[in-house]
Amino acid sequence: MKKLFLMGRSEAGKTSLTQILHGEELHYHKTQYTNTDDDIIDSPGEYSETKRCGLGLACFSFEADVLALLIAADEPFSVFEANCQCFTNRPLIGIITKIDSPYANVPMVRNWMINSGCERIFEVSSLTREGIQDLIDYLKDDPVKLTLEEAKDRQSHGIPEWIDPAEWKREMAALPRRA
């Protein structure tokens, strides 16, 4: 299973998601410091509420297989800057929490995550468990294993280690060309 690093604003649902992924009952617990176990790193919301959130992402990218930005579907704004994935050397996914909120605006939050550089976005509810299985299935996939030579070759061509080279070429071919 991939080790997941969760980063998001206070009350975004990081600890609740951690409890659900561990099969626990939901109970309120304020995260005061970074909690690490075998498969999840849960960070305090204050990490993403400062101007140095990219630095936090970069530091924990060495500890995790995948990084996740969490934003509640009912958030009025995003604390994540555009292209914050440039600080990382791991896949960056987005997790939209609280999709069952009556104030949810999932399309808006999805756009924020796309702008931040999330490669894949999951929509979940810790209360109804909607979308949780898709996230679990994604995390169950083994991390990409590359030889040093394969990693060097991908790096020389600008291909991230976690993306299939053929998929990368298709994505690059689909980008608009400058005139």
Side-chain angles (χ1 to χ4, degrees), residues 127-147:
L127 290 176
T128 66
R129 310 295 200 268
E130 183 180 348
I132 298 293
Q133 191 58 51
D134 289 339
L135 179 59
I136 290 171
D137 292 343
Y138 170 79
L139 294 172
K140 282 186 178 178
D141 285 344
D142 287 329
V144 175
K145 304 288 188 211
L146 297 176
T147 66

Side-chain angles (χ1 to χ4, degrees), residues 16-28:
S16 296
L17 181 61
T18 299
Q19 292 168 359
I20 294 301
L21 292 174
H22 284 148
E24 301 172 7
E25 291 296 317
L26 286 178
H27 59 279
Y28 179 76

Side-chain angles (χ1 to χ4, degrees), residues 56 84 112 128 133 143 155 157:
C84 63
W112 292 338
T128 66
Q133 191 58 51
Q155 186 179 35
H157 291 95

Side-chain angles (χ1 to χ4, degrees), residues 48-117:
S48 62
E49 295 169 0
T50 69
K51 63 182 180 179
R52 302 195 198 291
C53 79
L55 184 60
L57 281 172
C59 289
F60 282 103
S61 68
F62 297 107
E63 301 286 329
D65 297 312
V66 64
L67 311 174
L69 303 182
L70 268 79
I71 304 177
D74 55 7
E75 284 290 334
F77 59 89
S78 173
V79 295
F80 300 109
E81 63 270 7
N83 298 314
C84 63
Q85 89 289 358
C86 66
F87 289 104
T88 69
N89 63 354
R90 297 289 187 268
L92 180 68
I93 64 170
I95 302 175
I96 303 173
T97 58
K98 303 181 183 181
I99 61 171
D100 53 332
S101 167
Y103 305 105
N105 188 344
V106 174
M108 180 178 65
V109 175
R110 178 175 281 281
N111 282 334
W112 292 338
M113 290 186 161
I114 291 168
N115 289 338
S116 292

Side-chain angles (χ1 to χ4, degrees), residues 154 159-160 162-174:
R154 285 183 180 214
I159 303 171
W162 53 90
I163 295 179
D164 175 49
E167 179 184 336
W168 181 258
K169 286 178 185 175
R170 281 192 303 275
E171 287 180 20
M172 294 299 107

